[in-house]
Amino acid sequence: VFESDEASALQLWLLAIANPNDISHLRAAATSPLFGWTAPMLDTAANKPHSATGQAWATWQTAVQNAQQTWFSTGFYPTLRTFMEQFEVKSRLLSHQGGTRAVTNLMHAAELVQQASARDRLTLRGIIRWLRESRANTERLNDSAEQRLESDTDAVQIFTMHKSKGL
């Protein structure tokens, strides 16, 4: 799962939250598959700050700054969930080909980050370092980092049927 685009996007989002005044981190996170900004949208936001796109960019910047504060008070997972709801990440991912896989990868990576955060009591910078190292050293990871099935609807179902003899 750490080799997925969604794990990369999660890392970009974490970097933006850790550096909310760094325009390069804000742009990188915004243009990730999670948030769907495009280069033309970023140009419009920069050149026409009073346009709808410019206002959306201002909202994005404020949300990233607020997410850093939320992080410090509530931690990783509640911050991610709030951000995902505010920017409709799940519905954006699901609207594209392979969206179910993308959502599964994102939630799986987030779960692993949350486990590491709680287990090792990691700070925001510690989580970024842990995720970067996990993504760089995928051969050393255990089975929990293996990519999950996005759906089990096509899985084989095994039933055990018992027959009782009448008395």
Side-chain angles (χ1 to χ4, degrees), residues 91-147:
S91 61
R92 175 178 296 102
L93 292 175
L94 290 172
S95 70
H96 298 297
Q97 181 75 19
T100 304
R101 162 58 44 210
V103 169
T104 302
N105 288 344
L106 175 61
M107 299 314 296
H108 186 190
E111 180 183 315
L112 294 171
V113 168
Q114 176 61 30
Q115 288 172 0
S117 174
R119 179 187 63 239
D120 301 334
R121 297 179 181 229
L122 298 174
T123 63
L124 177 54
R125 299 246 182 240
I127 287 176
I128 293 168
R129 185 173 36 259
W130 179 87
L131 183 55
R132 185 181 302 123
E133 290 170 2
S134 296
R135 293 188 65 237
N137 300 312
T138 56
E139 66 277 350
R140 290 187 356 214
L141 297 172
N142 62 25
D143 290 342
S144 67
E146 287 291 320
Q147 203 171 43

Side-chain angles (χ1 to χ4, degrees), residues 23-157:
I23 195 74
S24 64
H25 287 300
L26 290 170
R27 285 175 171 242
T31 57
S32 76
L34 303 184
F35 304 107
W37 284 74
T38 63
M41 290 169 69
L42 292 175
D43 287 341
T44 300
N47 297 322
K48 299 178 183 174
H50 299 294
S51 68
T53 304
Q55 295 298 319
W57 181 253
T59 300
W60 167 259
Q61 289 178 301
T62 302
V64 171
Q65 290 169 346
N66 291 342
Q68 187 184 61
Q69 296 306 313
T70 303
W71 176 289
F72 293 135
S73 62
T74 64
F76 166 74
Y77 203 73
T79 304
L80 177 64
R81 284 192 39 198
T82 300
F83 216 84
M84 286 181 62
E85 290 170 9
Q86 181 178 359
F87 291 97
E88 301 175 341
V89 171
K90 189 174 179 179
S91 61
R92 175 178 296 102
L93 292 175
L94 290 172
S95 70
H96 298 297
Q97 181 75 19
T100 304
R101 162 58 44 210
V103 169
T104 302
N105 288 344
L106 175 61
M107 299 314 296
H108 186 190
E111 180 183 315
L112 294 171
V113 168
Q114 176 61 30
Q115 288 172 0
S117 174
R119 179 187 63 239
D120 301 334
R121 297 179 181 229
L122 298 174
T123 63
L124 177 54
R125 299 246 182 240
I127 287 176
I128 293 168
R129 185 173 36 259
W130 179 87
L131 183 55
R132 185 181 302 123
E133 290 170 2
S134 296
R135 293 188 65 237
N137 300 312
T138 56
E139 66 277 350
R140 290 187 356 214
L141 297 172
N142 62 25
D143 290 342
S144 67
E146 287 291 320
Q147 203 171 43
R148 292 180 177 161
L149 291 175
E150 64 265 21
S151 172
D152 62 1
T153 56
D154 294 330
V156 174
Q157 295 182 6

Side-chain angles (χ1 to χ4, degrees), residues 13-28:
W13 176 74
L14 290 167
L15 286 166
I17 289 175
N19 305 285
N21 296 318
D22 184 329
I23 195 74
S24 64
H25 287 300
L26 290 170
R27 285 175 171 242

